Amino acid sequence: MSDETYMKMALECAQKGCGWVNPNPMVGAVVVKDGRVIGMGYHQRYGELHAERNALAACTESPQNATMYVTLEPCCHYGKTPPCTEAILKSGVRRVVVGTVDPNPLVAGKGIQVLRQHGIEVTEGVLREACDALNVVFFHFIQTRMPYVLMKYAMTMDGKIATRSGQSKWITGETSRRHVQEDRHRYSGIMVGIGTILADDPLLTCRLPDGRNPVRIVCDSRLRTPLSARVVQTVGKAATILATCLQDEALARPYRDAGCDVLTLPSKDGHVDLRKLMTALGKKEIDSVLLEGGSVLNWSALQSGVVNKVQAYVAPKLFGGADAKSPVGGIGVEDPKKAFRLAPPQVTRLGEDILLESEVLTCSQES
Ligand SMILES: NC(=O)c1ccc[n+]([C@@H]2O[C@H](COP(=O)([O-])OP(=O)(O)OC[C@H]3O[C@@H](n4cnc5c(N)ncnc54)[C@H](OP(=O)(O)O)[C@@H]3O)[C@@H](O)[C@H]2O)c1
């Protein structure tokens, strides 16, 4: 079998860590000897052993002279676990096939260098594109220390995210809603504006049976979140951060007593400064945020330049209504030339709905 075939197996293995390893990357490894797979492993949970060590531990025979396929360059530094390069050198593996280089400044080619210096044959870049795509979030976070932000909304075919009375349950069908739950498992944080809390009182948890709840973040400049809101009442089940501009301990106290984290940030145009918020979330090791609206916050997030990707779930329905909200509100651009530009979308059919996904090419409209 070819290098590509074994790397594909390593990629499939890596996916099993999805949602559990953040802010670390998903990594998979396969050990092959005389054309037989003798061990496979992946990074299972944040803080636990890396894929290479798990694959070596799983070997059914000595890895002496074997080839290891690993989706990401092995680490060569002491983090929560000792360097993987050490384990590889000790194992007797003769050749290492690496999917892509780790952009972490502590690694960035040095892992490969260490292996080569010790006489190991290293082949780089096998299925590089797929290996890069697997860890878009990690690559962004390790280089910027800001979370990767995915702006997600569900809309009708006439571009409405709610009816004229503000109701939005449900726009899309079950298949789309299940897809959203998978992203809630995958993302470390989920963020909404206070408008959405007041209109919908959402729970914002992950409903998958074995899912992981993202940290809930409410942009609430003036602490208007009701203490009875579900994001406050269920804080024992999933963490909640209230991002505010108020420096008022008396107002913050009841939320803190309820178990919420109240994060005071500078204001920008009278609201929470979203760039500062992203920096603060990054410091809390939140590597990714699913931005679930609403309309006012979405505009502000785009303008602040914090959005990396847009996901539009489009349902075959029409709401109509000049006052019914569209996904991105705010003041909007005046000149079509000033549009936020997105990459050509990936299109997926989800039951009756379609999902359009695009990377943001030019984000900030701020001067
Ligand atoms: N279909 C969907 O996908 C979907 C998703 C979400 C919501 N919705 C619908 O959208 C509606 C709610 O949307 P909305 O536009 O009224 O409210 P929103 O965007 O959820 O919240 C807006 C509020 O967030 C606060 N905020 C804090 N920091 C901000 C910042 N930097 N920039 C902008 N705002 C900031 C502002 O109040 P303060 O500054 O006073 O805090 C602002 O008024 C509801 O009808 C809901 O059902 C639909």
Side-chain angles (χ1 to χ4, degrees), residues 152-155 160-163 165-168 171 192-197 199-200 219-224 243 268 270-274 292-298 300-301 304 325:
K152 167 261 155 185
Y153 49 82
M155 68 176 194
K160 306 292 186 188
I161 60 160
T163 64
S165 63
Q167 294 176 61
S168 59
I171 292 173
V192 296
I194 177 65
T196 297
I197 295 291
D200 300 347
C219 293
D220 182 5
S221 318
R222 292 172 284 150
L223 287 180
R224 290 185 286 145
K268 185 152 194 297
H271 305 291
V272 171
D273 184 324
L274 295 179
E292 290 210 12
S295 177
V296 171
L297 187 63
N298 283 349
S300 207
S304 315
K325 297 211 178 229

Side-chain angles (χ1 to χ4, degrees), residues 296-315:
V296 171
L297 187 63
N298 283 349
W299 164 259
S300 207
L302 279 168
Q303 252 203 333
S304 315
V306 299
V307 183
N308 297 99
K309 190 174 176 180
V310 175
Q311 256 188 347
Y313 291 85
V314 186

